[in-house]
Amino acid sequence: MDPRSLISHTQTLLRTEPFSDHYRLGVKELGRHVGLRTPRDLLLEDRCCVTSSRGKFAVVRRCVELITGKEYAAKFLRKRRKGEDCRTDIVNEIAILEMAHFSPYVVDLHEVYETSSEMVLVMEYAAGGEIFNQCVADQDEAFTEKDVIRLIDQILQGILYLHRNNVVHLDLKPQNILLTSCNPLGDIRIVDFGLSRQVDRIKEVREILGTPEYVAPEVLNYEPISTATDMWSVGVLTYVMLTGESPFLGDTKQETFLNISQVNVDYSQEVFAGISEQAVDFIKSLLLKNPRERARAEQCLKHPWLSSLTEPEPLKDDKALKKNEGDLKASDNTEEIVLLAS
Ligand code: ADP
Ligand code: MG
């Protein structure tokens, strides 16, 4: 990726004293599936065709701030990867989290530490974990359609905020959508802005970004990326959350890519048993090959499927209250924003 497409300045103070002076670190690595899964989990994943991956250059751990006793999640990012200096990528991730501070559905950045070899992003702790877990769960633990409607609505509000601020996430998948609590089911927090870009800054798309199952056809074809690229991922997410199946996953990477470029999706009654027609219609408005034809975040929020829930829910926590303030700060630029790819 052209470094000029990254935001190079942050407002957050980069603290240089040892992280351990202020935090006690939990032992368990968050979001690490491999090695922690039981044979039953593996079977379920196999059956449901959803894979999970662990980021390669980051380790995320729960930690407790010594002075307040509050829990946070600390993301440790190596500054050198494969012999290359990646500090600018991390600074970009920090800058986007700062920009999204007023969205209640984007994880909150608390503070940042920097050593000679790594940067530590201390974030709000999303105790409910990844929505991935419910996507591959047994029927009794899986999301109901009503749950999915509420969660997709929140995801869309988060994405609308990003898009209005000219940011594309580019890695929306069940491992990057977390919950504030699991039981009772809490609210959404979007995480992992490691691939995110400011739309007006991207000059070239030289590599295939994202996780194969969730990337849009234009990414595979090296065509312009736009806010619509995220909307494709919303279609895939909705499909997975409702059915527990990943719509494009094939036995090989090649097969997955072919399924995506041919938009080979199974909308059969078998897969969508007990799920409303409006839900299928919603997904169909997003899984369209031509990015210009895909529904935008704002349009999705007005889709009858989402309004089939009664009144909008009252905002629950402090961060949610910031939302209204944030809405005012967001520029009202809801047109699809297209990146320049050469
Ligand atoms: P990577 O670039 O390695 O994918 P992520 O930011 O997605 O990094 O973090 C990896 C995993 O760590 C996530 O999928 C999630 O399971 C967990 N995680 C990340 N941030 C938090 C958080 N704020 N609260 C709880 N868990 C988190
Ligand atoms: Mg991730």
Side-chain angles (χ1 to χ4, degrees):
M1 181 60 69
D2 184 334
R4 285 165 302 175
S5 66
L6 302 169
I7 309 172
S8 57
H9 52 271
T10 60
Q11 282 157 13
T12 309
L13 171 75
L14 305 178
R15 307 187 71 152
T16 50
E17 67 264 40
F19 170 80
S20 55
D21 283 0
H22 300 284
Y23 293 88
R24 190 177 68 243
L25 211 51
V27 252
K28 202 180 116 195
E29 185 179 330
L30 298 171
R32 185 167 184 174
H33 302 266
V34 183
L36 288 178
R37 286 172 296 183
T38 62
R40 183 182 148 276
D41 292 335
L42 289 167
L43 255 177
L44 274 171
E45 281 183 29
D46 195 35
R47 194 199 67 206
C48 299
C49 303
V50 178
T51 57
S52 87
S53 63
R54 180 188 160 232
K56 290 182 206 90
F57 306 109
V59 173
V60 182
R61 295 223 181 132
R62 194 182 67 86
C63 60
V64 174
E65 192 175 34
L66 297 174
I67 197 163
T68 59
K70 264 187 84 175
E71 282 182 311
Y72 289 94
K75 181 171 181 179
F76 295 80
L77 289 141
R78 289 213 312 268
K79 290 201 279 189
R80 284 194 81 77
R81 305 166 190 175
K82 295 180 182 163
E84 272 185 50
D85 182 359
C86 293
R87 189 177 182 278
T88 44
D89 292 85
I90 307 172
V91 167
N92 179 68
E93 188 167 345
I94 296 168
I96 290 178
L97 284 168
E98 285 174 355
M99 179 283 296
H101 177 70
F102 287 105
S103 167
Y105 302 117
V106 172
V107 77
D108 223 3
L109 180 67
H110 180 54
E111 51 181 18
V112 180
Y113 287 79
E114 179 168 19
T115 68
S116 57
S117 62
E118 63 183 5
M119 291 177 98
V120 189
L121 276 52
V122 186
M123 296 170 289
E124 160 192 19
Y125 177 56
E130 303 169 13
I131 62 163
F132 176 84
N133 300 318
Q134 273 97 331
C135 291
V136 296
D138 275 332
Q139 190 87 48
D140 50 336
E141 284 168 26
F143 295 130
T144 63
E145 184 171 340
K146 204 173 160 197
D147 293 334
V148 179
I149 291 175
R150 186 175 69 85
L151 299 179
I152 288 290
D153 186 89
Q154 295 188 350
I155 292 169
L156 284 168
Q157 290 188 49
I159 292 171
L160 179 64
Y161 188 92
L162 297 173
H163 289 181
R164 280 182 170 175
N165 285 285
N166 297 345
V167 165
V168 279
H169 186 286
L170 298 181
D171 201 14
L172 293 168
K173 58 180 179 180
Q175 295 88 340
N176 290 335
I177 309 285
L178 309 186
L179 291 164
T180 53
S181 67
C182 206
N183 197 5
L185 197 60
D187 295 323
I188 285 297
R189 295 290 183 265
I190 302 172
V191 299
D192 195 356
F193 291 80
L195 295 182
S196 301
R197 295 292 180 266
Q198 239 188 355
V199 266
D200 50 351
R201 285 181 181 230
I202 293 189
K203 298 282 181 277
E204 267 182 87
V205 183
R206 283 206 209 107
E207 59 205 292
I208 294 182
L209 304 167
T211 309
E213 283 165 79
Y214 304 95
V215 295
E218 62 270 23
V219 179
L220 299 181
N221 295 331
Y222 301 94
E223 284 164 6
I225 287 177
S226 71
T227 50
T229 306
D230 279 345
M231 300 316 294
W232 172 277
S233 308
V234 174
V236 182
L237 265 172
T238 312
Y239 192 109
V240 177
M241 288 169 80
L242 286 169
T243 68
E245 291 187 27
S246 186
F248 300 108
L249 187 66
D251 291 333
T252 61
K253 217 173 170 179
Q254 279 71 20
E255 209 182 293
T256 303
F257 287 169
L258 196 66
N259 287 337
I260 294 170
S261 60
Q262 294 176 343
V263 197
N264 186 9
V265 191
D266 183 357
Y267 290 112
S268 69
Q269 258 305 312
E270 228 172 274
V271 178
F272 282 88
I275 298 167
S276 71
E277 267 175 43
Q278 279 181 335
V280 177
D281 184 80
F282 178 87
I283 297 170
K284 283 183 176 168
S285 72
L286 294 167
L287 297 183
L288 295 168
K289 183 148 186 174
N290 183 347
R292 298 190 167 277
E293 287 172 12
R294 272 173 229 154
R296 299 194 300 260
E298 202 172 43
Q299 291 170 318
C300 283
L301 281 161
K302 290 180 189 148
H303 191 281
W305 180 54
L306 291 186
S307 25
S308 61
L309 264 190
T310 43
E311 289 296 292
E313 278 189 296
L315 297 169
K316 281 186 186 158
D317 51 27
D318 276 3
K319 198 167 181 221
L321 289 173
K322 289 192 280 179
K323 179 184 174 306
N324 298 329
E325 226 177 301
D327 275 354
L328 291 175
K329 291 209 172 187
S331 62
D332 197 18
N333 176 11
T334 51
E335 283 302 297
E336 183 189 339
I337 305 153
V338 181
L339 303 181
L340 304 164
S342 57

mmCIF file of all heavy atoms in Angstrom, residues 9-38:
data_model
loop_
_atom_site.group_PDB
_atom_site.id
_atom_site.type_symbol
_atom_site.label_atom_id
_atom_site.label_comp_id
_atom_site.label_asym_id
_atom_site.label_seq_id
_atom_site.Cartn_x
_atom_site.Cartn_y
_atom_site.Cartn_z
ATOM 1 N N HIS A 9 -0.503 11.639 11.220
ATOM 2 C CA HIS A 9 -0.409 12.378 12.481
ATOM 3 C C HIS A 9 -1.500 11.933 13.446
ATOM 4 O O HIS A 9 -2.598 11.572 13.033
ATOM 5 C CB HIS A 9 -0.503 13.886 12.229
ATOM 6 C CG HIS A 9 -1.703 14.231 11.405
ATOM 7 N ND1 HIS A 9 -1.655 14.245 10.020
ATOM 8 C CD2 HIS A 9 -2.982 14.487 11.752
ATOM 9 C CE1 HIS A 9 -2.859 14.534 9.568
ATOM 10 N NE2 HIS A 9 -3.684 14.685 10.591
ATOM 11 N N THR A 10 -1.159 11.967 14.726
ATOM 12 C CA THR A 10 -2.143 11.591 15.753
ATOM 13 C C THR A 10 -2.149 12.681 16.815
ATOM 14 O O THR A 10 -1.200 13.459 16.921
ATOM 15 C CB THR A 10 -1.759 10.273 16.450
ATOM 16 O OG1 THR A 10 -0.487 10.454 17.052
ATOM 17 C CG2 THR A 10 -1.718 9.110 15.496
ATOM 18 N N GLN A 11 -3.216 12.689 17.590
ATOM 19 C CA GLN A 11 -3.278 13.660 18.684
ATOM 20 C C GLN A 11 -2.932 13.006 20.012
ATOM 21 O O GLN A 11 -2.531 13.666 20.953
ATOM 22 C CB GLN A 11 -4.695 14.241 18.767
ATOM 23 C CG GLN A 11 -4.934 15.278 17.700
ATOM 24 C CD GLN A 11 -6.407 15.468 17.388
ATOM 25 O OE1 GLN A 11 -7.272 15.011 18.112
ATOM 26 N NE2 GLN A 11 -6.665 16.138 16.287
ATOM 27 N N THR A 12 -3.129 11.695 20.068
ATOM 28 C CA THR A 12 -2.901 10.972 21.320
ATOM 29 C C THR A 12 -1.431 11.063 21.714
ATOM 30 O O THR A 12 -0.551 10.886 20.874
ATOM 31 C CB THR A 12 -3.275 9.474 21.137
ATOM 32 O OG1 THR A 12 -4.573 9.413 20.568
ATOM 33 C CG2 THR A 12 -3.237 8.715 22.436
ATOM 34 N N LEU A 13 -1.196 11.311 22.995
ATOM 35 C CA LEU A 13 0.169 11.327 23.513
ATOM 36 C C LEU A 13 0.732 9.907 23.431
ATOM 37 O O LEU A 13 0.074 8.957 23.858
ATOM 38 C CB LEU A 13 0.124 11.798 24.983
ATOM 39 C CG LEU A 13 1.416 11.679 25.763
ATOM 40 C CD1 LEU A 13 2.387 12.772 25.351
ATOM 41 C CD2 LEU A 13 1.147 11.745 27.259
ATOM 42 N N LEU A 14 1.925 9.768 22.863
ATOM 43 C CA LEU A 14 2.545 8.440 22.796
ATOM 44 C C LEU A 14 3.438 8.292 24.029
ATOM 45 O O LEU A 14 4.516 8.895 24.109
ATOM 46 C CB LEU A 14 3.341 8.281 21.493
ATOM 47 C CG LEU A 14 2.554 8.535 20.204
ATOM 48 C CD1 LEU A 14 3.437 8.402 18.969
ATOM 49 C CD2 LEU A 14 1.362 7.568 20.086
ATOM 50 N N ARG A 15 2.966 7.527 24.983
ATOM 51 C CA ARG A 15 3.678 7.434 26.271
ATOM 52 C C ARG A 15 4.888 6.523 26.136
ATOM 53 O O ARG A 15 4.820 5.489 25.482
ATOM 54 C CB ARG A 15 2.733 6.921 27.354
ATOM 55 C CG ARG A 15 1.460 7.752 27.432
ATOM 56 C CD ARG A 15 0.613 7.347 28.593
ATOM 57 N NE ARG A 15 1.231 7.766 29.838
ATOM 58 C CZ ARG A 15 0.540 8.045 30.938
ATOM 59 N NH1 ARG A 15 -0.759 7.931 30.950
ATOM 60 N NH2 ARG A 15 1.172 8.406 32.028
ATOM 61 N N THR A 16 5.978 6.923 26.756
ATOM 62 C CA THR A 16 7.209 6.144 26.595
ATOM 63 C C THR A 16 7.609 5.401 27.875
ATOM 64 O O THR A 16 8.527 4.595 27.851
ATOM 65 C CB THR A 16 8.377 7.047 26.144
ATOM 66 O OG1 THR A 16 8.411 8.171 27.018
ATOM 67 C CG2 THR A 16 8.202 7.490 24.710
ATOM 68 N N GLU A 17 6.944 5.680 28.995
ATOM 69 C CA GLU A 17 7.282 4.923 30.207
ATOM 70 C C GLU A 17 6.777 3.488 30.060
ATOM 71 O O GLU A 17 5.910 3.224 29.214
ATOM 72 C CB GLU A 17 6.702 5.591 31.461
ATOM 73 C CG GLU A 17 5.197 5.582 31.575
ATOM 74 C CD GLU A 17 4.550 6.875 31.077
ATOM 75 O OE1 GLU A 17 5.011 7.416 30.045
ATOM 76 O OE2 GLU A 17 3.570 7.303 31.695
ATOM 77 N N PRO A 18 7.302 2.537 30.849
ATOM 78 C CA PRO A 18 6.866 1.142 30.669
ATOM 79 C C PRO A 18 5.365 0.967 30.899
ATOM 80 O O PRO A 18 4.817 1.500 31.866
ATOM 81 C CB PRO A 18 7.665 0.370 31.724
ATOM 82 C CG PRO A 18 8.793 1.261 32.101
ATOM 83 C CD PRO A 18 8.336 2.659 31.887
ATOM 84 N N PHE A 19 4.750 0.231 29.989
ATOM 85 C CA PHE A 19 3.317 -0.081 30.075
ATOM 86 C C PHE A 19 3.005 -0.739 31.427
ATOM 87 O O PHE A 19 1.998 -0.465 32.065
ATOM 88 C CB PHE A 19 2.993 -1.028 28.908
ATOM 89 C CG PHE A 19 1.633 -1.648 28.943
ATOM 90 C CD1 PHE A 19 0.521 -0.938 28.521
ATOM 91 C CD2 PHE A 19 1.462 -2.957 29.384
ATOM 92 C CE1 PHE A 19 -0.742 -1.511 28.537
ATOM 93 C CE2 PHE A 19 0.206 -3.538 29.404
ATOM 94 C CZ PHE A 19 -0.895 -2.812 28.983
ATOM 95 N N SER A 20 3.964 -1.590 31.880
ATOM 96 C CA SER A 20 3.744 -2.354 33.124
ATOM 97 C C SER A 20 3.756 -1.461 34.363
ATOM 98 O O SER A 20 3.351 -1.891 35.435
ATOM 99 C CB SER A 20 4.800 -3.456 33.247
ATOM 100 O OG SER A 20 6.075 -2.864 33.158
ATOM 101 N N ASP A 21 4.184 -0.203 34.247
ATOM 102 C CA ASP A 21 4.098 0.722 35.385
ATOM 103 C C ASP A 21 2.642 1.065 35.688
ATOM 104 O O ASP A 21 2.302 1.461 36.792
ATOM 105 C CB ASP A 21 4.821 2.044 35.068
ATOM 106 C CG ASP A 21 6.321 1.911 35.174
ATOM 107 O OD1 ASP A 21 6.793 0.797 35.488
ATOM 108 O OD2 ASP A 21 7.018 2.927 34.915
ATOM 109 N N HIS A 22 1.794 0.946 34.663
ATOM 110 C CA HIS A 22 0.409 1.405 34.815
ATOM 111 C C HIS A 22 -0.650 0.311 34.686
ATOM 112 O O HIS A 22 -1.806 0.528 35.017
ATOM 113 C CB HIS A 22 0.106 2.491 33.768
ATOM 114 C CG HIS A 22 0.993 3.680 33.910
ATOM 115 N ND1 HIS A 22 0.813 4.618 34.893
ATOM 116 C CD2 HIS A 22 2.098 4.048 33.222
ATOM 117 C CE1 HIS A 22 1.755 5.545 34.782
ATOM 118 N NE2 HIS A 22 2.553 5.211 33.781
ATOM 119 N N TYR A 23 -0.241 -0.847 34.143
ATOM 120 C CA TYR A 23 -1.230 -1.907 33.899
ATOM 121 C C TYR A 23 -0.731 -3.270 34.371
ATOM 122 O O TYR A 23 0.469 -3.561 34.267
ATOM 123 C CB TYR A 23 -1.549 -2.024 32.396
ATOM 124 C CG TYR A 23 -2.267 -0.810 31.858
ATOM 125 C CD1 TYR A 23 -1.545 0.281 31.386
ATOM 126 C CD2 TYR A 23 -3.658 -0.743 31.850
ATOM 127 C CE1 TYR A 23 -2.184 1.410 30.911
ATOM 128 C CE2 TYR A 23 -4.308 0.381 31.374
ATOM 129 C CZ TYR A 23 -3.573 1.452 30.907
ATOM 130 O OH TYR A 23 -4.218 2.570 30.444
ATOM 131 N N ARG A 24 -1.673 -4.091 34.840
ATOM 132 C CA ARG A 24 -1.374 -5.504 35.090
ATOM 133 C C ARG A 24 -1.975 -6.273 33.909
ATOM 134 O O ARG A 24 -3.137 -6.079 33.544
ATOM 135 C CB ARG A 24 -2.043 -5.939 36.412
ATOM 136 C CG ARG A 24 -1.589 -7.305 36.884
ATOM 137 C CD ARG A 24 -2.215 -7.677 38.215
ATOM 138 N NE ARG A 24 -3.659 -7.896 38.104
ATOM 139 C CZ ARG A 24 -4.584 -7.176 38.713
ATOM 140 N NH1 ARG A 24 -4.257 -6.158 39.479
ATOM 141 N NH2 ARG A 24 -5.877 -7.459 38.554
ATOM 142 N N LEU A 25 -1.158 -7.142 33.334
ATOM 143 C CA LEU A 25 -1.562 -7.831 32.109
ATOM 144 C C LEU A 25 -2.179 -9.195 32.392
ATOM 145 O O LEU A 25 -1.641 -9.953 33.199
ATOM 146 C CB LEU A 25 -0.298 -8.008 31.258
ATOM 147 C CG LEU A 25 -0.430 -8.012 29.748
ATOM 148 C CD1 LEU A 25 -1.211 -6.834 29.236
ATOM 149 C CD2 LEU A 25 0.977 -8.021 29.148
ATOM 150 N N GLY A 26 -3.287 -9.501 31.738
ATOM 151 C CA GLY A 26 -3.880 -10.845 31.842
ATOM 152 C C GLY A 26 -3.047 -11.826 31.036
ATOM 153 O O GLY A 26 -2.325 -11.422 30.130
ATOM 154 N N VAL A 27 -3.159 -13.099 31.362
ATOM 155 C CA VAL A 27 -2.331 -14.071 30.646
ATOM 156 C C VAL A 27 -2.915 -14.465 29.302
ATOM 157 O O VAL A 27 -2.207 -14.716 28.335
ATOM 158 C CB VAL A 27 -2.125 -15.394 31.467
ATOM 159 C CG1 VAL A 27 -0.708 -15.476 31.973
ATOM 160 C CG2 VAL A 27 -3.156 -15.565 32.545
ATOM 161 N N LYS A 28 -4.240 -14.526 29.267
ATOM 162 C CA LYS A 28 -4.895 -15.060 28.074
ATOM 163 C C LYS A 28 -4.828 -14.080 26.896
ATOM 164 O O LYS A 28 -5.091 -12.896 27.053
ATOM 165 C CB LYS A 28 -6.364 -15.340 28.411
ATOM 166 C CG LYS A 28 -6.986 -16.348 27.486
ATOM 167 C CD LYS A 28 -8.429 -16.596 27.858
ATOM 168 C CE LYS A 28 -9.320 -16.147 26.721
ATOM 169 N NZ LYS A 28 -10.695 -15.999 27.036
ATOM 170 N N GLU A 29 -4.479 -14.609 25.733
ATOM 171 C CA GLU A 29 -4.493 -13.775 24.537
ATOM 172 C C GLU A 29 -5.922 -13.722 24.013
ATOM 173 O O GLU A 29 -6.558 -14.757 23.826
ATOM 174 C CB GLU A 29 -3.555 -14.396 23.498
ATOM 175 C CG GLU A 29 -3.403 -13.537 22.275
ATOM 176 C CD GLU A 29 -2.449 -14.156 21.272
ATOM 177 O OE1 GLU A 29 -1.526 -14.870 21.671
ATOM 178 O OE2 GLU A 29 -2.674 -13.927 20.078
ATOM 179 N N LEU A 30 -6.418 -12.521 23.774
ATOM 180 C CA LEU A 30 -7.806 -12.394 23.301
ATOM 181 C C LEU A 30 -7.887 -12.722 21.817
ATOM 182 O O LEU A 30 -6.980 -12.407 21.054
ATOM 183 C CB LEU A 30 -8.318 -10.976 23.544
ATOM 184 C CG LEU A 30 -8.383 -10.538 25.005
ATOM 185 C CD1 LEU A 30 -8.691 -9.057 25.098
ATOM 186 C CD2 LEU A 30 -9.423 -11.343 25.765
ATOM 187 N N GLY A 31 -9.000 -13.330 21.454
ATOM 188 C CA GLY A 31 -9.248 -13.570 20.031
ATOM 189 C C GLY A 31 -8.387 -14.646 19.428
ATOM 190 O O GLY A 31 -8.310 -14.766 18.213
ATOM 191 N N ARG A 32 -7.717 -15.411 20.282
ATOM 192 C CA ARG A 32 -6.886 -16.460 19.711
ATOM 193 C C ARG A 32 -7.686 -17.758 19.706
ATOM 194 O O ARG A 32 -7.993 -18.315 20.745
ATOM 195 C CB ARG A 32 -5.622 -16.632 20.537
ATOM 196 C CG ARG A 32 -4.711 -17.623 19.902
ATOM 197 C CD ARG A 32 -3.340 -17.607 20.484
ATOM 198 N NE ARG A 32 -2.518 -18.525 19.734
ATOM 199 C CZ ARG A 32 -1.236 -18.672 19.913
ATOM 200 N NH1 ARG A 32 -0.632 -17.968 20.818
ATOM 201 N NH2 ARG A 32 -0.567 -19.545 19.206
ATOM 202 N N HIS A 33 -8.027 -18.207 18.509
ATOM 203 C CA HIS A 33 -8.877 -19.392 18.403
ATOM 204 C C HIS A 33 -8.058 -20.669 18.362
ATOM 205 O O HIS A 33 -8.379 -21.639 18.990
ATOM 206 C CB HIS A 33 -9.730 -19.346 17.138
ATOM 207 C CG HIS A 33 -10.590 -18.125 17.082
ATOM 208 N ND1 HIS A 33 -11.875 -18.129 17.541
ATOM 209 C CD2 HIS A 33 -10.334 -16.881 16.655
ATOM 210 C CE1 HIS A 33 -12.375 -16.917 17.372
ATOM 211 N NE2 HIS A 33 -11.467 -16.156 16.840
ATOM 212 N N VAL A 34 -6.973 -20.607 17.585
ATOM 213 C CA VAL A 34 -6.205 -21.827 17.371
ATOM 214 C C VAL A 34 -5.617 -22.294 18.696
ATOM 215 O O VAL A 34 -5.014 -21.528 19.427
ATOM 216 C CB VAL A 34 -5.079 -21.577 16.338
ATOM 217 C CG1 VAL A 34 -4.316 -22.857 16.055
ATOM 218 C CG2 VAL A 34 -5.678 -21.019 15.068
ATOM 219 N N GLY A 35 -5.815 -23.570 18.985
ATOM 220 C CA GLY A 35 -5.231 -24.122 20.201
ATOM 221 C C GLY A 35 -6.192 -24.076 21.368
ATOM 222 O O GLY A 35 -6.073 -24.840 22.312
ATOM 223 N N LEU A 36 -7.168 -23.173 21.308
ATOM 224 C CA LEU A 36 -8.118 -23.072 22.412
ATOM 225 C C LEU A 36 -9.407 -23.811 22.099
ATOM 226 O O LEU A 36 -10.253 -23.986 22.946
ATOM 227 C CB LEU A 36 -8.457 -21.605 22.688
ATOM 228 C CG LEU A 36 -7.353 -20.786 23.331
ATOM 229 C CD1 LEU A 36 -7.795 -19.349 23.496
ATOM 230 C CD2 LEU A 36 -7.001 -21.369 24.696
ATOM 231 N N ARG A 37 -9.554 -24.221 20.845
ATOM 232 C CA ARG A 37 -10.804 -24.843 20.454
ATOM 233 C C ARG A 37 -10.876 -26.300 20.865
ATOM 234 O O ARG A 37 -9.882 -27.019 20.803
ATOM 235 C CB ARG A 37 -11.008 -24.721 18.943
ATOM 236 C CG ARG A 37 -11.383 -23.334 18.547
ATOM 237 C CD ARG A 37 -11.393 -23.191 17.067
ATOM 238 N NE ARG A 37 -10.071 -23.383 16.505
ATOM 239 C CZ ARG A 37 -9.815 -23.253 15.219
ATOM 240 N NH1 ARG A 37 -10.749 -22.950 14.392
ATOM 241 N NH2 ARG A 37 -8.590 -23.427 14.768
ATOM 242 N N THR A 38 -12.033 -26.701 21.288
ATOM 243 C CA THR A 38 -12.264 -28.101 21.600
ATOM 244 C C THR A 38 -12.566 -28.811 20.279
ATOM 245 O O THR A 38 -12.913 -28.159 19.289
ATOM 246 C CB THR A 38 -13.490 -28.238 22.512
ATOM 247 O OG1 THR A 38 -14.607 -27.733 21.788
ATOM 248 C CG2 THR A 38 -13.316 -27.467 23.809
#
